[in-house]
Amino acid sequence: MATIFQGLGGGAATATALTNSFDSKKLLLPSSRRSLSERKASFLVVRSDGSVNLNLGSSNARARRVNQLITNAVATKADSSAASAASKPGHELLLYEALREGIEEEMDRDPHVCVMGEDVGHYGGSYKVTRGLADKYGDLRVLDTPIAENSFTGMGIGAAMTGLRPIVEGMNMGFLLLAFNQISNNCGMLHYTSGGQFTIPIVIRGPGGVGRQLGAEHSQRLESYFQSIPGIQMVACSTPYNAKGLMKAAIRSENPVILFEHVLLYNLKERIPDEEYICNLEEAEMVRPGEHVTILTYSRMRYHVMQAAKTLVNKGYDPEVIDIRSLKPFDLHTIGNSVKKTHRVLIVEECMRTGGIGASLTAAITENFHDYLDAPIVCLSSQDVPTPYAGTLEEWTVVQPAQIVTAVEHLCQ
Amino acid sequence: MALSHLKSSSSRSNLLKPLATAFSLRRPISTSTDPLTIETSVPFTAHKCDPPSRTVETNPQELLSFFRDMARMRRMEIAADSLYKAKLIRGFCHLYDGQEAVAVGMEAAITKKDSIITAYRDHCTFLGRGGTLLEVFSELMGRQAGCSHGKGGSMHFYKKDSGFYGGHGIVGAQVPLGCGLAFAHKYNKDDTVAFALYGDGAANQGQLFEALNISALWDLPAILVCENNHYGMGTAEWRAAKNPSYYKRGDYVPGVKTLDLGFSEEFSGHLPGDSFEYAFRAWLESVFLNEMKIVDGMDALAVKQACRFAKDYALKSGPIILEMDTYRYHGHSMSDPGSTYRTRDEISGVRQERDPVERIRKLILAHDLATEKELKDIEKELRKQVDDAIAQAKESPMPEPSELFTNVYVKGMGVEAYGADRKEVRAVLP
């Protein structure tokens, strides 16, 4: 087992000498072929079985160490958000502060915007997204609700029918399952069943995703459950820049928008522009342009992908990384252009394999761009298990950067 | 009182003057707005508040409009029954005949700026809010002229410009929406209220109590109206609710009941199983078939009084629950015969004793506001209106195939997208 990583290390070391010429692929083959079968086996074991290759599980630590050894490798292009500020003077803030800025600016701009959720007012929000808003706007615009998701989501939708623009927060996305009826039947369908009479300009937001040992019920990824509801839009933010932009666009949109945040991304820091901007709700973000393979991802997995991308670049691959951002509808325009360029697709997501966003995306790409694909689409998702509490088990539930590296190598043979 | 009417209206028709002195009934239908005070037969019962007064202010014009509206609703529902049996209406069709007094009485107490939201038994409420017969029948038959352009169906009637928010299929889900409407009214500070109607079956939904809690906390002008027709589809209320006093179920929220037949105090929770059912049925039959003549709940004037009281209350002090004791003659929907869980005697008994249209007819005749013949003429005219509307609705075309994809999204900002793959029409329909 240990040989795999020596093989990796060895391959990478030889690659560094010739990283400027991208013929490094030829150099990689001798060392990689030996370990490829083993790697392939361990790759499949991780994906299909529950049983995990221990070394692979801890490989991210090793991979990082491997990266550290190579100090003069070609740096990955634009690791940080590619759509970042054009004008340099901006202000630096954390992702939750960016969300708050977005909400505040919209509340200033439009008196119809209000926030409702558990502990959003006086407490300041369980993730501090709404801190200070209650003091500024009062109790009628920033409303603390009791723990009654079904009814306060319903109330938000009822208020939206009259023209108010509520932002409903689920303290954790998983709690919104209690409001599924309201979201599916009333939020998504009222515009259609009323023949266009009512619009529901509501924003439903909250943190989801696998956190740090929060347990199965607090680590849910609801994007896969909500994706078939007709009439709603779903977006997932991943950087402070797109968090603020998507929040503002979601509030201004006449359609109901579900904004998926991630528990582990709230403390990301970035410099964002001072001037007002919004992000397009239906557009994907090009994080790193490339030539060899298209990696589609969203939310936290973007960072795992970028970490894997560093390793891949050192091995001589040139991945194109796209943060799809819009989970419903998919930005098949950007994705399609990328597929037409690279002919290989890897989807890296945090939701479950069964019925997840990746499954729909695979179907959509296959239906539309089948002729452009040189290899079957590979989809890396979380395991179809409830998220365990134990740290090591939890780590193996989600896709790790080493798995991404292996998958790309497998795809690009 | 009748005499003063005679004086004021007889001056209009000189022709009938000599007759008027002989028979005191020959004159045109009264359209006067002179106040008329009528007392409801049964006082209101209240929970945690003072009940409204029994005396209701009305006028002949209003009573006649009650008659006209309720007769129109009745005619419409019967016609919908025939259309369903002729397979022109498909799917679900929940008819409101028997309960018209609630829709009509409520309208008389409020304005079009107040909001009403109800569940799937919404045809008459829609009509009361200003919808037309053509829109109703077209929507039921799935045609373009329908209020939702044929895309909603029986359970999804909406009329935004007159504050009618539907029209909802999932039992109980409309109550949080209704409290949201009340929240919007409070937010906009426009002194209007929201009525959220639900049935005795929905009264056991948890989201109702959640929404009531929030409404009470935030002092929202929400009025929850339980249209208690005693059956949640096939389940009688005593089999579904431990405490069938729905107006008291709000606990800390005050409630008013338009008719208290004394059932709950007498029977709830005291008798086991079969004997309970036997006692309930015996009691119900005795009330409806005997000469107890308790008239209410299906009394449009009592409804009007309760709703006016509730609106004033809600604007000052937050949510209130109203319970309207009413009855539906049809089954739960067209696929339910309505006789497996209740006796035909019970249905005909209620129809005889408490029918809302008959009630108003008797009131009008008793106060000499119109003759028997005039009322019959009105009914004939309404029948014709309904038939014309049906004919017109049948002419209306089915929706265009492209309508399948319209109104899913509102075209928002940035790039326009219509579905997962950006194509507007996924397949070409035959």
Side-chain angles (χ1 to χ4, degrees):
Chain A
M1 295 294 189
T3 49
I4 297 173
F5 297 98
Q6 281 170 2
L8 256 175
T14 37
T16 48
L18 293 139
T19 34
N20 286 323
S21 82
F22 279 88
D23 288 326
S24 51
K25 247 187 172 170
K26 287 193 211 141
L27 266 163
L28 269 175
L29 278 172
S31 51
S32 59
R33 193 174 281 155
R34 168 170 53 91
S35 36
L36 192 60
S37 50
E38 294 158 288
R39 242 181 285 154
K40 205 203 290 192
S42 50
F43 169 77
L44 285 173
V45 160
V46 171
R47 267 194 68 204
S48 50
D49 281 23
S51 60
V52 180
N53 180 331
L54 266 166
N55 278 351
L56 219 52
S58 57
S59 67
N60 42 352
R62 303 266 193 129
R64 262 183 251 126
R65 223 183 299 150
V66 168
N67 282 341
Q68 281 163 18
L69 288 174
I70 300 138
T71 49
N72 55 349
V74 170
T76 47
K77 292 176 246 173
D79 193 24
S80 51
S81 141
S84 213
S87 51
K88 246 315 153 182
H91 53 286
E92 220 174 42
L93 41 51
L94 304 176
L95 196 143
Y96 74 84
E97 290 169 343
L99 288 167
R100 191 200 316 141
E101 239 183 50
I103 298 177
E104 204 170 332
E105 281 175 21
E106 289 305 304
M107 287 182 85
D108 278 334
R109 184 178 165 271
D110 184 353
H112 290 105
V113 181
C114 52
V115 181
M116 51 172 90
E118 293 158 17
D119 280 329
V120 293
H122 295 192
Y123 189 83
S126 50
Y127 292 94
K128 297 175 287 205
V129 174
T130 49
R131 187 198 272 176
L133 294 182
D135 294 326
K136 184 172 176 192
Y137 297 107
D139 277 341
L140 196 60
R141 288 188 76 188
V142 182
L143 303 137
D144 279 325
T145 63
I147 307 177
E149 284 79 8
N150 196 357
S151 49
F152 73 70
T153 312
M155 286 177 71
I157 296 166
M161 281 168 97
T162 65
L164 288 192
R165 309 186 88 92
I167 303 169
V168 173
E169 172 177 310
M171 190 184 271
N172 186 292
M173 267 292 173
F175 307 162
L176 289 180
L177 284 173
L178 291 158
F180 206 112
N181 174 53
Q182 296 289 351
I183 295 174
S184 167
N185 290 330
N186 293 330
C187 181
M189 301 194 192
L190 268 172
H191 186 60
Y192 191 85
T193 56
S194 66
Q197 283 179 72
F198 296 112
T199 57
I200 317 286
I202 194 175
V203 177
I204 299 175
R205 51 161 289 267
V210 175
R212 297 248 180 273
Q213 295 186 254
L214 298 177
E217 290 170 0
H218 291 74
S219 315
Q220 297 194 72
R221 288 129 278 171
L222 253 52
E223 52 266 23
S224 38
Y225 305 157
F226 288 144
Q227 65 177 321
S228 337
I229 300 174
I232 58 160
Q233 281 188 258
M234 305 200 304
V235 283
C237 62
S238 48
T239 67
Y241 179 85
N242 63 34
K244 179 176 173 186
L246 289 173
M247 173 68 86
K248 286 169 73 86
I251 296 171
R252 292 192 201 183
S253 168
E254 292 298 319
N255 294 306
V257 180
I258 305 186
L259 172 59
F260 291 90
E261 302 155 11
H262 198 286
V263 272
L264 294 180
L265 296 184
Y266 278 129
N267 290 321
L268 279 177
K269 190 183 276 203
E270 194 189 349
R271 182 170 285 274
I272 65 169
D274 290 325
E275 55 266 16
E276 201 183 14
Y277 68 94
I278 54 168
C279 289
N280 192 326
L281 281 177
E282 297 101 356
E283 202 174 45
E285 187 180 318
M286 177 69 70
V287 183
R288 181 192 186 283
E291 295 288 327
H292 293 161
V293 60
T294 301
I295 306 183
L296 302 172
T297 180
Y298 65 92
S299 194
R300 181 183 167 218
M301 288 295 116
R302 167 188 174 138
Y303 296 95
H304 281 206
V305 166
M306 290 315 292
Q307 197 175 5
K310 276 197 202 128
T311 317
L312 286 168
V313 165
N314 295 333
K315 288 173 177 237
Y317 294 99
D318 189 19
E320 176 154 296
V321 180
I322 295 180
D323 181 345
I324 60 174
R325 265 184 5 198
S326 172
L327 304 177
K328 183 178 168 86
F330 294 130
D331 181 6
L332 285 177
H333 182 74
T334 311
I335 295 172
N337 287 342
S338 177
V339 172
K340 288 174 192 172
K341 186 169 60 164
T342 65
H343 312 296
R344 289 182 167 80
V345 180
L346 171 68
I347 301 173
V348 180
E349 56 167 1
E350 199 174 329
C351 60
M352 316 277 206
R353 186 71 186 86
T354 309
I357 297 287
S360 304
L361 194 50
T362 306
I365 298 174
T366 316
E367 271 167 12
N368 292 288
F369 307 112
H370 183 258
D371 291 333
Y372 297 97
L373 290 170
D374 282 348
I377 301 175
V378 177
C379 184
L380 294 180
S381 335
S382 297
Q383 302 303 316
D384 279 318
V385 295
T387 313
Y389 166 72
T392 42
L393 291 179
E394 186 186 64
E395 216 175 274
W396 298 328
T397 324
V398 235
V399 179
Q400 298 297 339
Q403 290 166 278
I404 304 172
V405 172
T406 320
V408 169
E409 289 172 339
H410 184 66
L411 200 53
C412 290
Q413 302 165 255
Chain B
M1 237 193 297
L3 216 53
S4 63
H5 281 286
L6 200 58
K7 278 204 199 114
S8 57
S9 42
S10 59
S11 53
R12 275 186 236 134
S13 80
N14 294 313
L15 200 64
L16 299 171
K17 211 173 183 175
L19 288 170
T21 47
F23 316 99
S24 48
L25 295 165
R26 293 281 177 196
R27 50 166 173 44
I29 295 177
S30 174
T31 49
S32 83
T33 48
D34 295 342
L36 206 56
T37 319
I38 299 185
E39 205 175 72
T40 65
S41 320
V42 185
F44 296 98
T45 335
H47 167 75
K48 297 222 165 127
C49 68
D50 294 321
S53 135
R54 277 173 77 172
T55 42
V56 188
E57 288 284 315
T58 179
N59 59 62
Q61 190 180 45
E62 184 174 65
L63 287 176
L64 279 156
S65 77
F66 278 5
F67 179 80
R68 204 182 287 269
D69 290 336
M70 288 203 282
R72 185 186 297 120
M73 290 174 181
R74 178 66 58 90
R75 202 63 252 131
M76 174 181 78
E77 296 295 69
I78 306 286
D81 180 312
S82 324
L83 285 176
Y84 192 90
K85 289 180 175 140
K87 293 211 196 256
L88 282 162
I89 301 177
R90 314 301 296 273
F92 291 123
C93 191
H94 305 89
L95 299 177
Y96 200 71
D97 54 329
Q99 300 181 209
E100 299 91 351
V102 178
V104 163
M106 191 179 287
E107 280 306 319
I110 61 178
T111 67
K112 293 287 189 284
K113 292 231 174 338
D114 297 305
S115 319
I116 297 183
I117 190 169
T118 182
Y120 41 78
R121 215 176 287 279
D122 56 353
H123 307 167
C124 300
T125 323
F126 173 75
L127 213 61
R129 286 261 94 180
T132 64
L133 287 166
L134 174 64
E135 284 176 323
V136 171
F137 287 117
S138 310
E139 186 62 35
L140 287 174
M141 294 197 271
R143 309 298 173 104
Q144 277 183 22
C147 49
S148 302
H149 309 301
K151 301 206 285 198
S154 162
M155 299 190 284
H156 298 285
F157 283 22
Y158 304 91
K159 198 161 167 64
K160 184 170 189 184
D161 51 15
S162 48
F164 182 53
Y165 289 86
H168 294 275
I170 304 294
V171 170
Q174 76 277 9
V175 178
L177 289 185
C179 295
L181 296 173
F183 171 69
H185 285 310
K186 178 162 182 157
Y187 196 95
N188 292 326
K189 298 188 172 66
D190 52 11
D191 276 335
T192 47
V193 296
F195 283 82
L197 279 69
Y198 59 98
D200 49 293
N204 301 312
Q205 274 269 321
Q207 50 189 326
L208 215 126
F209 298 97
E210 292 177 20
L212 206 55
N213 179 36
I214 301 181
S215 307
L217 274 173
W218 295 349
D219 269 325
L220 302 181
I223 300 162
L224 271 65
V225 181
C226 179
E227 293 180 286
N228 184 4
N229 55 25
H230 301 289
Y231 295 95
M233 203 161 92
T235 309
E237 66 177 331
W238 62 271
R239 288 179 66 222
K242 187 71 179 170
N243 177 6
S245 304
Y246 299 108
Y247 70 110
K248 287 189 188 167
R249 294 273 287 271
D251 185 23
Y252 42 82
V253 174
V256 170
K257 187 169 170 138
T258 57
L259 165 67
D260 196 347
L261 298 175
F263 169 71
S264 353
E265 279 73 47
E266 215 176 318
F267 287 112
S268 59
H270 292 311
L271 299 170
D274 287 345
S275 52
F276 193 94
E277 174 175 4
Y278 181 76
F280 172 81
R281 293 208 177 283
W283 169 83
L284 204 59
E285 280 181 15
S286 74
V287 164
F288 294 140
L289 298 183
N290 290 356
E291 293 296 314
M292 278 176 81
K293 289 271 195 247
I294 298 179
V295 262
D296 212 294
M298 291 160 87
D299 177 358
L301 291 166
V303 172
K304 172 186 164 183
Q305 182 80 328
C307 290
R308 177 154 292 158
F309 171 79
K311 176 169 176 177
D312 291 333
Y313 183 92
L315 284 172
K316 280 199 305 284
S317 331
I320 182 171
I321 301 183
L322 295 180
E323 184 183 340
M324 309 286 183
D325 193 301
T326 179
Y327 202 85
R328 54 167 163 81
Y329 300 142
H330 271 89
H332 165 75
S333 70
M334 286 306 299
S335 42
D336 171 28
S339 48
T340 54
Y341 47 87
R342 52 187 189 174
T343 60
R344 292 200 192 279
D345 286 337
E346 182 186 304
I347 305 172
S348 49
V350 177
R351 200 187 277 268
Q352 255 180 312
E353 302 293 321
R354 300 173 66 195
D355 186 81
V357 186
E358 283 312 305
R359 174 93 45 80
I360 291 289
R361 189 200 300 270
K362 283 189 193 131
L363 206 58
I364 290 175
L365 294 175
H367 287 273
D368 288 337
L369 306 178
T371 62
E372 187 86 44
K373 185 179 177 305
E374 281 155 351
L375 294 179
K376 282 240 181 313
D377 285 340
I378 293 179
E379 282 182 313
K380 262 198 211 120
E381 181 197 324
L382 291 169
R383 197 185 190 119
K384 188 172 177 307
Q385 263 182 23
V386 167
D387 290 337
D388 285 343
I390 294 179
Q392 215 182 337
K394 282 183 183 165
E395 306 266 308
S396 175
M398 288 292 206
E400 296 291 314
S402 59
E403 280 287 309
L404 183 63
F405 298 102
T406 58
N407 297 135
V408 181
Y409 291 108
V410 179
K411 304 286 169 68
M413 18 199 5
V415 186
E416 294 183 334
Y418 312 117
D421 56 356
R422 286 264 189 95
K423 292 183 191 151
E424 182 146 25
V425 180
R426 274 295 280 142
V428 176
L429 298 175

